[in-house]
Amino acid sequence: MKVLIVYGSTTGNTAGIAEALGERIGHAGHDVTVSNAADVTAEGLCNGYDAVLFGCSAWGTDEVEMQDDFNALYEEFDRIGVKGKKAACFASGDSSFEHFCGAVDVIEGRLAGLGAEIMEEGLKVEGDYSGSRNEVDGWCDRIIAAL
Ligand SMILES: Cc1cc2nc3c(=O)[nH]c(=O)nc-3n(C[C@H](O)[C@H](O)[C@H](O)COP(=O)(O)O)c2cc1C
């Protein structure tokens, strides 16, 4: 399977999870591309891929604000060509905020609305990958099983 992972990350936490997911899915024999949202364009983003994983941290206080780079992509999400593709979301967050990893729910809902097939409920990680390896690896294995 060809798998695309696109992440938006300001301090590197979601980026670290994206890299860990990419490595594990690659080791399972799939062809994985990991991209920073700052480096991609929306038009036809998902073309040629069987599955897409989106990672984005949240930066609002009262309401969910997406990480800046991802937000630019999200504004043109209807052009990414995700209809009929397998998809799932992940993020690093801080559970002291009201909407823990709130971007995950927003993006997941939008993907479903665009006709993507959500493979697995979104992954919400406290802090960075090093503190939540088992949780991330377990989620990743369920994604691999669903590919
Ligand atoms: C002003 C501000 C608002 C934030 N809002 C949220 C939030 O709504 N939900 C959440 O889970 N984390 C929130 N965070 C925490 C970051 O999302 C968290 O540190 C995350 O690990 C950053 O990931 P990144 O390095 O991939 O960008 C906020 C942090 C700041 C400074």
Side-chain angles (χ1 to χ4, degrees):
M1 289 282 204
K2 285 199 73 177
V3 181
L4 174 65
I5 301 176
V6 180
Y7 67 87
S9 179
T10 299
T11 67
N13 290 342
T14 304
I17 297 166
E19 295 296 343
L21 292 171
E23 200 168 310
R24 197 168 179 90
I25 294 169
H27 281 154
H30 300 286
D31 181 358
V32 187
T33 302
V34 181
S35 299
N36 190 323
D39 300 329
V40 304
T41 48
E43 188 68 45
L45 178 66
C46 304
N47 290 354
Y49 293 97
D50 303 296
V52 195
L53 305 182
F54 291 104
C56 176
S57 53
W59 291 90
T61 39
D62 296 335
E63 34 181 81
V64 175
E65 281 177 34
M66 286 191 211
Q67 193 274 345
D68 283 346
D69 302 316
F70 199 98
N71 195 51
L73 174 66
Y74 186 77
E75 283 176 0
E76 298 188 89
F77 235 42
D78 54 344
R79 298 167 65 190
I80 63 174
V82 78
K83 188 172 182 185
K85 309 274 183 185
K86 296 181 178 200
C89 301
F90 62 94
S92 160
D94 178 341
S95 58
S96 66
F97 286 88
E98 187 181 344
H99 303 288
F100 177 50
C101 293
V104 163
D105 302 318
V106 175
I107 298 166
E108 208 170 84
R110 185 85 189 276
L111 287 170
L114 290 170
E117 179 201 326
I118 303 299
M119 289 185 276
E120 177 77 21
E121 192 179 324
L123 171 69
K124 300 180 177 182
V125 174
E126 183 81 40
D128 67 1
Y129 174 63
S130 65
S132 308
R133 276 170 199 273
N134 290 345
E135 192 188 347
V136 174
D137 291 351
W139 186 83
C140 191
D141 289 346
R142 293 196 295 281
I143 292 294
I144 291 166
L147 286 173

